[in-house]
Amino acid sequence: MLLEDMLLYLHPTILLFICYEVRFCSPADDLKSSSLTYLVDTTGSMHDDLWQLKLVNGWLLDQVSARFPCGMRKYTMVEYNDPIIGPTKSTHSVSEFDSFFNNLAVRGGGDCPEMVITGLKVALMDSPDNSFILVLTDASAKDYDDGVLKKDVYSLINRKQSKIFFLITGLCAGRTDPKYLIYRDIASVSFGHVFEVNLSKLNKVFYYLDFTLSRPVNSSTRLFSRDYNAEDNSANFSVADNYTALILTTDGIIHSLQVINPYDSETKLKTIISEPWGSMYIVENPVIGSWELHVSGDGHYAIRVEGFKVKNISNTEHCSECDSNAICEEYFGIKECSCNEGFIGDGFACSDIDECAYPWSNDCPDICENTHGRYVCECPKGYAKNIDDKCIDIDECSDPTLYRCQSLADCSEKAGYSSCSCKSDLTRHGFNCKDDECATSLCDQGLECRNEDGSYRCSDPCSSYNTLNDPWRSIFRSQGTGGIHLPESCVPENKCGTETSMWINGSHPLPNEGIINFTACAQWDGDCCYWSSTVQVKACVDGYHVYKLQGTPRCPAAYCTGKTLSHIACINGAICPS
């Protein structure tokens, strides 16, 4: 059965996956990409470093895969932990390589210098030629002075032409320590780099690596490499072939860098990345001839120059083959498709970059919103941009279009929001304030005033009430039916099925006294009125009392009842409902 026939029997979602997997990719050498190897320090202090590395590596592999979808690459992971080196794991699968990271575990350590050079020898031996080897550690090299070991490492670098990049997030001593200087020596010999970064800047290093790894293997030529110690320096290098671009990388603090072309004029550099630990620049369409460098820096710094040839998967004979979100440029008679800024791909297929997916791929201080080919920074609710494009608090109380409070309410401005509150003698919250007619005495004695829409109503609480007949409220639980009065004396803690029981401080009123305000108390920590609230009580002619209760001042607390108004004592055993 033909492959096309087989696909017809598959579920549509599976079909999409298979179509991607069987996309035709030529086995030509110019489609092979440099292999990627991680040499990872797994001692205990590396816990945070590895977590960040996993995150940034996921982004890097997504970027490189999108730029170079048909690239054939081997991925290798080498662990080292003093004194154990290994295991080494290799794969051609991005997803399996990602699982290598997920299975990394830190352990041991204790002393700062680690067996970095020994681990590097294993990484070089187990990696293909022309590999990129990333060394991640927060320590200097314990085995820096092993002459035989160093000889083996330099020999492997020379034979395999692999580049070594050190990602250093910590040191055991200063930058003049031989245990650290060996990193610079190896980087110089291998045309690599030493990145001294903290974890929050690790993503900037991977921007550097993204650009470099997205090129076919053997597409670059090493033209110049020099290390300096301070002061001003000048040097020459030769461009003897047609290159698409020159890539200049720097290591260390450099104050000025001037590139003079064979026509004795300064060449404009396009910045890919610029950080204190190093920078990357591009010179497009360099002419053949002798070039000059003039540089000024502090301390130790280095410069490397590579020439990239037009040997790219994006080459085309017809610009019409380029994606609609790509441009077609010609270099030395060869056309090349390249995705526009804000898009990623091989030039024939370009997709939008979601800059908001990772915190380091945008510079939004608050909210990032992805758009087609770009992104925009938005302000959080309650803030707006000023003329400097910075988010400032909106004064909702002074803007009629944002003022949400009712006319009878006061507006209070807060950071990022506003609040509304009714003015005095008004009821309800600040969005629906009403005149409180009951604020003045409008009803006869013994009647309760109730606000209604635009008016009020007087009612007798003895004929309009809700009955609370829960047995658990009784302070005489053994008699079973509950009581009818709030206690007039202090009730001990943990009675009536709750921690604190409410009682009223005073004697119940007589029928001719109308509605009386009482203080309701709750005992705690030996104080009979540790918490308090206000209760209104009226004596009704049929011999009972009605109460207007407010919420209890704490939880768990409840109002207890008894059958008489004499001194009574609570008992344990009831269950207080929520």
Side-chain angles (χ1 to χ4, degrees):
M1 183 181 292
L2 295 176
L3 176 62
E4 291 83 352
D5 296 329
M6 294 174 61
L7 293 178
L8 294 177
Y9 293 92
L10 299 176
H11 189 277
T13 56
I14 302 176
L15 178 61
L16 291 175
F17 174 76
I18 292 182
C19 285
Y20 173 79
E21 288 295 319
V22 300
R23 178 180 174 183
F24 177 75
C25 294
S26 169
D29 288 341
D30 61 347
L31 286 178
K32 293 181 180 178
S33 55
S34 297
S35 295
L36 177 62
T37 296
Y38 279 91
L39 175 61
V40 182
D41 180 351
T42 58
T43 54
S45 60
M46 291 292 293
H47 180 272
D48 292 341
D49 301 59
L50 294 185
W51 181 87
Q52 186 71 12
L53 179 63
K54 292 175 186 179
L55 182 65
V56 181
N57 178 71
W59 171 85
L60 174 66
L61 297 184
D62 287 344
Q63 293 283 110
V64 173
S65 297
R67 295 185 197 275
F68 204 173
C70 292
M72 300 168 59
R73 188 190 310 276
K74 183 177 181 181
Y75 300 97
T76 303
M77 174 80 71
V78 181
E79 301 179 39
Y80 73 96
N81 189 296
D82 190 7
I84 300 172
I85 308 298
T88 297
K89 302 176 182 178
S90 297
T91 182
H92 287 90
S93 166
V94 172
S95 59
E96 186 177 8
F97 187 57
D98 189 56
S99 71
F100 294 167
F101 277 95
N102 294 331
N103 293 325
L104 285 174
V106 297
R107 62 193 184 281
D111 57 339
C112 187
E114 307 296 349
M115 304 293 285
V116 183
I117 311 305
T118 304
L120 180 57
K121 177 181 177 180
V122 174
L124 283 163
M125 293 173 61
D126 293 346
S127 301
D129 294 354
N130 299 292
S131 292
F132 284 82
I133 299 178
L134 309 184
V135 183
L136 182 70
T137 184
D138 63 354
S140 304
K142 177 185 292 187
D143 46 2
Y144 75 101
D145 58 348
D146 186 328
V148 175
L149 177 62
K150 288 195 294 184
K151 182 179 178 181
D152 291 342
V153 167
Y154 287 128
S155 176
L156 285 166
I157 292 173
N158 182 63
R159 177 165 59 86
K160 294 207 164 190
Q161 292 293 292
S162 293
K163 295 182 179 180
I164 317 297
F165 297 89
F166 293 90
L167 281 65
I168 312 297
T169 60
L171 291 173
C172 304
R175 292 181 176 86
T176 59
D177 184 359
K179 297 182 183 67
Y180 165 74
L181 291 178
I182 191 171
Y183 296 158
R184 284 184 169 166
D185 293 340
I186 291 174
S188 178
V189 170
S190 69
F191 227 79
H193 199 101
V194 177
F195 299 98
E196 293 180 56
V197 294
N198 56 43
L199 289 183
S200 63
K201 296 293 184 181
L202 192 60
N203 58 288
K204 297 294 184 77
V205 172
F206 279 70
Y207 272 120
Y208 178 110
L209 299 173
D210 170 33
F211 182 87
T212 307
L213 286 170
S214 298
R215 299 281 172 167
V217 69
N218 296 327
S219 62
S220 65
T221 303
R222 301 176 183 183
L223 303 178
F224 178 84
S225 177
R226 192 74 54 86
D227 287 57
Y228 298 102
N229 286 308
E231 300 181 350
D232 299 341
N233 292 279
S234 298
N236 294 83
F237 66 92
S238 178
V239 174
D241 204 346
N242 289 330
Y243 296 108
T244 304
L246 299 180
I247 308 298
L248 287 79
T249 58
T250 67
D251 173 8
I253 299 175
I254 293 180
H255 302 302
S256 66
L257 175 61
Q258 187 181 36
V259 179
I260 307 298
N261 61 34
Y263 302 130
D264 292 329
S265 60
E266 184 174 358
T267 296
K268 183 179 180 180
L269 303 178
K270 179 181 178 181
T271 303
I272 297 298
I273 186 171
S274 180
E275 292 293 328
W277 38 257
S279 303
M280 175 183 282
Y281 307 97
I282 293 180
V283 175
E284 295 181 338
N285 301 321
V287 298
I288 294 176
S290 179
W291 291 64
E292 297 179 18
L293 292 174
H294 302 284
V295 61
S296 175
D298 287 338
H300 175 277
Y301 62 88
I303 300 177
R304 324 251 188 255
V305 181
E306 292 179 272
F308 277 87
K309 294 184 179 180
V310 184
K311 190 179 183 183
N312 197 294
I313 59 170
S314 300
N315 295 347
T316 182
E317 293 183 2
H318 306 287
C319 288
S320 59
E321 296 178 348
C322 299
D323 188 87
S324 59
N325 292 307
I327 59 173
C328 185
E329 298 177 302
E330 186 170 327
Y331 301 98
F332 309 108
I334 299 177
K335 298 181 180 67
E336 179 181 339
C337 301
S338 57
C339 295
N340 294 330
E341 185 175 356
F343 295 87
I344 191 168
D346 59 2
F348 301 116
C350 300
S351 58
D352 173 59
I353 296 175
D354 185 358
E355 294 90 349
C356 301
Y358 295 93
W360 57 79
S361 56
N362 67 80
D363 56 3
C364 293
D366 296 296
I367 300 172
C368 177
E369 182 177 321
N370 188 59
T371 60
H372 190 64
R374 57 190 299 270
Y375 69 94
V376 293
C377 298
E378 300 291 352
C379 296
K381 185 177 180 181
Y383 291 82
K385 292 182 180 179
N386 62 8
I387 57 175
D388 298 323
D389 210 34
K390 294 182 178 180
C391 295
I392 59 172
D393 181 39
I394 299 173
D395 185 359
E396 292 95 341
C397 294
S398 62
D399 188 339
T401 63
L402 299 174
Y403 191 87
R404 303 177 299 121
C405 302
Q406 195 194 39
S407 59
L408 297 175
D410 291 323
C411 181
S412 300
E413 176 63 24
K414 309 291 184 182
Y417 70 99
S418 62
S419 62
C420 304
S421 59
C422 293
K423 298 176 181 179
S424 59
D425 296 334
L426 299 175
T427 61
R428 302 192 183 183
H429 53 73
F431 303 108
N432 189 16
C433 299
K434 297 183 181 296
D435 291 321
D436 187 3
E437 291 88 353
C438 293
T440 58
S441 299
L442 299 176
C443 298
D444 294 336
Q445 183 181 16
L447 299 179
E448 180 186 18
C449 182
R450 296 186 178 184
N451 283 286
E452 295 185 348
D453 291 339
S455 183
Y456 67 95
R457 179 169 63 90
C458 297
S459 63
D460 184 357
C462 287
S463 59
S464 177
Y465 57 81
N466 295 318
T467 301
L468 296 178
N469 55 8
D470 309 297
W472 62 266
R473 293 184 184 275
S474 173
I475 56 178
F476 288 97
R477 279 291 294 175
S478 61
Q479 297 183 10
T481 60
I484 61 173
H485 297 101
L486 295 185
E488 295 176 350
S489 59
C490 184
V491 180
E493 300 170 19
N494 299 310
K495 303 297 181 181
C496 304
T498 186
E499 289 186 359
T500 52
S501 304
M502 304 294 294
W503 60 281
I504 60 171
N505 189 2
S507 299
H508 281 68
L510 299 175
N512 63 350
E513 292 180 327
I515 300 174
I516 305 298
N517 290 332
F518 287 91
T519 298
C521 293
Q523 174 176 273
W524 190 257
D525 197 26
D527 185 344
C528 277
C529 205
Y530 190 91
W531 290 288
S532 65
S533 63
T534 300
V535 172
Q536 290 182 317
V537 185
K538 182 182 179 181
C540 300
V541 293
D542 291 338
Y544 60 88
H545 290 81
V546 291
Y547 304 83
K548 187 174 183 179
L549 307 176
Q550 296 188 16
T552 58
R554 72 178 296 267
C555 185
Y559 290 92
C560 276
T561 59
K563 288 190 173 182
T564 70
L565 299 181
S566 60
H567 180 73
I568 48 182
C570 292
I571 63 173
N572 291 318
I575 300 175
C576 185
S578 59

